[in-house]
Amino acid sequence: MTPLFERLEELRRMGALGFDRPGFRFIETLLQRSTELDGAAGERLEMRARQRLSALESALRSARAEAEAALATARAAGCATTELGALYAKGDFREVVQGARRALLALDRLEGGGVDRLRRLHRRAMAQGLTLPAATVADIERLVRDGATLDADTEVLARAIGDELARALFRDAAAQARAVLVVARAADRVPDDVGPYNPQALSAQTLSLIESLAPGYLRTCLAGLEDLASLRRLPEPPKRPRRRR
């Protein structure tokens, strides 16, 4: 088995078929055809398969980390279900994130009226240091202050803002859990016998130090790196034909 087939098999074990079955099968076909052709044709197919494989691997690792964080957040809140675990095992990472978000929203909705829930969520956001838009903060303060005299329409508004705040809290908690997973994985990948200047060891130590000193900064850095990684999944621009002189 060639190294590219080994990488593809590793992605299969990570749930690539459930994450992107058409993309996985396309890469598999490209690799198979590249072994059947000789010369430049086989090399071109192999190069194309390598590019697709790298893009799928980047997208899969990012989605899997986000799903792990969402699942950990739901478990911590006590609303994780066996269905979410089954979706994760199957590789349906997008649905894990959506399902965890829905479960947390449903959990919050069970805890009293719209204004009481909004007040509780606002206190949680302040405790977590979550930054909110000034307009949203003004609406929250007004609704909490005038909560006793709210009519039905304003109660609907309180619930809508509460939903928005709950989603922001979920994203923040998921980002925090994802950062913890990144730091733990970096430490696990460091070989037992390394020198003082080993790149993996230095990277793991740096991430651990940033997490202990400024966890918010670490989450921001990881979000930026994820944005950069997403650029690798964009299709290559078409090559412009050369003008004949």
Side-chain angles (χ1 to χ4, degrees):
M1 182 178 291
T2 66
L4 289 181
F5 273 111
E6 290 177 356
R7 284 177 60 189
L8 188 64
E9 188 60 30
E10 175 63 21
L11 294 188
R12 184 200 299 270
R13 289 192 290 269
M14 291 175 59
L17 278 173
F19 175 69
D20 184 2
R21 179 178 290 271
F24 183 91
R25 293 302 187 195
F26 182 61
I27 296 170
E28 192 176 44
T29 301
L30 286 176
L31 286 177
Q32 186 61 43
R33 292 294 305 276
S34 69
T35 62
E36 298 170 356
L37 297 175
D38 296 327
E43 292 176 359
R44 283 196 298 269
L45 284 182
E46 182 178 333
M47 178 60 68
R48 190 177 180 188
R50 187 188 302 275
Q51 293 172 346
R52 292 272 185 165
L53 183 60
S54 296
L56 177 61
E57 184 176 23
S58 175
L60 176 64
R61 291 189 183 279
S62 177
R64 180 171 172 154
E66 186 176 6
E68 286 181 1
L71 196 55
T73 303
R75 284 171 177 164
C79 60
T81 63
T82 55
E83 181 183 1
L84 287 178
L87 288 170
Y88 177 83
K90 191 172 64 173
D92 196 350
F93 302 128
R94 298 184 184 91
E95 187 56 35
V96 170
V97 175
Q98 294 296 327
R101 184 180 290 117
R102 287 194 297 268
L104 286 169
L105 284 173
L107 181 66
D108 280 329
R109 282 185 175 275
L110 294 175
E111 300 178 357
V115 176
D116 291 337
R117 170 176 174 255
L118 183 59
R119 185 183 293 111
R120 187 168 50 252
L121 289 170
H122 188 215
R123 285 198 298 265
R124 194 188 307 174
M126 294 179 65
Q128 290 183 206
L130 191 65
T131 302
L132 301 173
T136 302
V137 173
D139 286 339
I140 292 173
E141 291 176 348
R142 178 178 60 81
L143 290 170
V144 170
R145 183 181 63 249
D146 302 336
T149 59
L150 291 180
D151 55 21
D153 291 338
T154 317
E155 175 73 10
V156 172
L157 176 61
R159 286 200 172 275
I161 296 177
D163 287 348
E164 179 184 347
L165 190 52
R167 284 190 289 269
L169 284 166
F170 172 81
R171 289 193 296 268
D172 184 71
Q176 183 176 358
R178 186 164 58 250
V180 172
L181 286 170
V182 168
V183 174
R185 283 181 172 178
D188 290 341
R189 291 175 181 175
V190 176
D192 295 332
D193 186 16
V194 297
Y197 302 112
N198 179 269
Q200 287 180 296
L202 290 174
S203 298
Q205 292 170 11
T206 301
L207 288 173
S208 180
L209 183 61
I210 295 175
E211 183 191 25
S212 63
L213 295 176
Y217 176 72
L218 177 61
R219 294 198 297 272
T220 301
C221 288
L222 291 177
L225 291 174
E226 289 175 359
D227 290 341
L228 289 175
S230 66
L231 296 177
R232 299 177 59 186
R233 300 194 291 271
L234 295 176
E236 295 184 1
K239 295 182 179 180
R240 295 181 178 179
R242 294 183 179 180
R243 295 181 178 178
R244 296 182 179 180
R245 295 181 179 179

